[in-house]
Amino acid sequence: MARLREVLGGILRDLTESRIVADLAAAEHFELYQQDPVLAHLPIPRMAVKDLTLRLRFAVEDHEAKPPAVDLGAVLDRLWRAELVERAVPNLLKTVFRRPVAPARVGALGEALAVSLAGARFALTDLSPKGLERAAEVTVSRLLAGLKKLPADVRKDLAAERTVRAALHRAVAERLEAVVPKFRQLAAARQAAQLDLEVLVKRADLSGVQESAIQEVTISISAGDLHVAAGPAPSPPEKA
């Protein structure tokens, strides 16, 4: 059976090759038009398709799940640590101290807190509400531990522990809300990359499949979706 990606890839390949065939046909007629005194004043016929929509009906015959090529959890952990270090930590340093931190010390304090996050596993592969709550708790605990390891002369200026903990929870929740949509997209892409679907696409094969089991995928392509591999895009061709 054909795999779904092979069917869709073949359709996109044929669309590309159809443009090549059309261009070759126009090139073959170019010399003829140039040699004829009347045709030389007329535009060479060339069809341009601005928008195209294809609807593919298929039924899944079988599927195969491949082992993951990358550790999604490790990827999400790394992205989350970067998000914390680059965005959350600098803002935290403005809220967890009783008085403003000198700009010259912000970098050093940020690096100290970043160390507390190194190597942490946040279990972000579970993006359910409970999973995100656990990830937030791990994050807050790590940051609290990092604050407690700061030099004594720095810790004395920290706000009350309740205030610090509340600030950490707010900052972590805010950053999680911002990045979770991207994390969900990465998780979905990983899942799709692991799954190979063998499909039935011929009318004769689909005739024996219940309508409720038939899937559809629609591909819509416009002129703006077609890009030249190198160099500027050509001017829109004249219609026949």
Side-chain angles (χ1 to χ4, degrees):
M1 293 296 170
R3 295 193 181 278
L4 182 58
R5 66 166 180 250
E6 294 169 346
V7 175
L8 295 177
I11 291 173
L12 295 176
R13 180 203 62 206
D14 287 348
L15 289 174
T16 301
E17 292 182 352
S18 68
R19 177 63 181 269
I20 296 173
V21 172
D23 286 346
L24 289 174
E28 290 177 0
H29 291 88
F30 176 78
E31 188 173 347
L32 174 64
Y33 269 62
Q34 293 299 309
Q35 293 175 353
D36 188 283
V38 177
L39 293 178
H41 298 284
L42 300 176
I44 301 173
R46 186 169 183 267
M47 182 63 68
V49 178
K50 289 188 175 181
D51 298 283
L52 177 68
T53 299
L54 296 174
R55 189 181 68 166
L56 175 66
R57 286 165 53 84
F58 66 93
V60 177
E61 172 74 0
D62 196 6
H63 71 276
E64 176 187 358
K66 301 182 295 184
V70 296
D71 182 350
L72 178 64
V75 172
L76 296 183
D77 284 345
R78 185 171 66 250
L79 292 175
W80 178 229
R81 282 193 294 270
E83 183 74 17
L84 291 169
V85 171
E86 294 172 9
R87 298 180 183 274
V89 168
N91 291 330
L92 278 172
L93 294 176
K94 301 175 183 177
T95 59
V96 297
F97 289 94
R98 293 190 179 91
R99 53 187 178 182
V101 179
R105 305 197 67 178
V106 170
L109 293 177
E111 291 177 3
L113 290 181
V115 170
S116 68
L117 299 169
R121 297 304 299 261
F122 303 99
L124 284 166
T125 49
D126 180 4
L127 296 174
S128 66
K130 288 186 177 180
L132 293 174
E133 185 177 344
R134 287 193 295 269
E137 286 297 333
V138 172
T139 304
V140 170
S141 296
R142 286 279 186 154
L143 290 171
L144 276 174
L147 288 172
K148 291 177 180 178
K149 291 181 179 179
L150 294 176
D153 63 322
V154 176
R155 293 200 310 273
K156 66 182 178 62
D157 289 328
L158 283 172
E161 184 173 347
R162 177 182 297 182
T163 302
V164 171
R165 185 178 290 273
L168 290 175
H169 276 286
R170 284 196 302 271
V172 169
E174 177 185 336
R175 294 322 313 159
L176 268 178
E177 184 178 0
V179 300
V180 160
K182 182 169 69 173
F183 288 177
R184 293 191 193 282
Q185 290 177 346
L186 289 173
R190 196 281 298 264
Q191 184 177 8
Q194 289 179 234
L195 190 62
D196 278 341
L197 297 181
E198 293 184 353
V199 297
L200 302 171
V201 292
K202 294 181 180 179
R203 184 186 297 272
D205 294 332
L206 292 178
S207 63
V209 179
Q210 292 184 357
E211 188 66 26
S212 60
I214 295 179
Q215 311 294 322
E216 288 189 4
V217 61
T218 300
I219 304 175
S220 297
I221 300 174
S222 66
D225 297 322
L226 302 176
H227 302 282
V228 180
S235 301
E238 298 180 1
K239 291 186 177 180

